[in-house]
Amino acid sequence: MPLHVPPAPAPALRSVLTALASPTAVREARTPSLLRAQGPVTPELPLPVHILDGTAAKLAGWRFLIRCGERSVAAAETMLTPDGWAFSHFFEGPYIASTERALRQAEVMQQSYQPRLLSIPGLYMLALWLHGDCAADAAAARLAATDLLVPLAPAPPGIAAHRPHRAAELLPVLTHRVTPAPLLGSPA
């Protein structure tokens, strides 16, 4: 089934396009693959990035894969500021290829989904969040029990990358692992 990629806010896309057109922004990004890109680069596959805090998620930005020819060479992230959407940074690394792999996996599933990214900062983890309501506002951060979460590589120890999990099954595991342990000598 096809994925229903939500449209990014126009100001977020404009901020990425402006950054890509700026030699200074690209040079200062310290992303060698973006600096070496031969030919035009284009932002594609906008995905809303939500941050998990406890059991609630909050929209934090939009991530665009930056393509050059047939491959993604980097990613660009935007953030919401008091003045609206603004370019945040370029980056590269294993999450780019892992995101593409997870999206390809999702495209062959029986059900249609709206793809999003879910960041779990306490575990240094990122997951592809496959939201079952394809018509939902991408900024809505309500995780449904039947939504799928696909941990991206590298995943934390004990959590298999690229294995889809129902949110109702994986969230309790994640929130338990994020819960800080009591300090030694303090009452539990």
Side-chain angles (χ1 to χ4, degrees):
M1 287 285 188
L3 292 176
H4 296 272
V5 179
L13 176 58
R14 275 195 307 271
S15 72
V16 171
L17 290 169
T18 300
L20 282 170
S22 165
T24 304
V26 171
R27 188 173 50 253
E28 289 179 0
R30 294 188 178 93
T31 52
S33 59
L34 185 58
L35 288 168
R36 289 190 307 264
Q38 298 294 315
V41 291
T42 55
E44 296 182 357
L45 284 169
L47 296 173
V49 179
H50 292 80
I51 295 178
L52 185 66
D53 183 15
T55 57
K58 179 182 175 192
L59 180 67
W62 283 80
R63 182 172 296 174
F64 298 79
L65 295 180
I66 306 299
R67 287 187 100 49
C68 181
E70 294 297 314
R71 65 184 202 95
S72 293
V73 295
E77 196 144 320
T78 63
M79 62 183 178
L80 189 57
T81 69
D83 295 325
W85 290 102
F87 171 75
S88 175
H89 61 282
F90 291 116
F91 65 94
E92 60 185 55
Y95 284 130
I96 295 169
S98 188
T99 300
E100 287 182 313
R101 177 180 169 187
L103 287 167
R104 283 191 305 273
Q105 281 180 272
E107 286 175 342
V108 297
M109 292 181 173
Q110 296 298 315
Q111 182 179 339
S112 294
Y113 290 100
Q114 183 188 85
R116 303 169 175 193
L117 292 171
L118 183 65
S119 174
I120 302 100
L123 293 176
Y124 301 100
M125 180 180 169
L126 188 64
L128 179 64
W129 169 9
L130 298 172
H131 189 57
D133 182 358
C134 296
D137 178 1
R142 189 180 157 278
L143 272 153
T146 56
D147 286 353
L148 295 180
L149 297 175
V150 183
L152 300 181
I159 297 175
H162 297 286
R163 182 173 171 259
H165 302 269
R166 294 255 177 242
E169 297 163 0
L170 187 59
L171 282 177
V173 172
L174 298 178
T175 53
H176 175 72
R177 289 181 83 175
V178 171
T179 304
L183 296 173
L184 291 176
S186 64

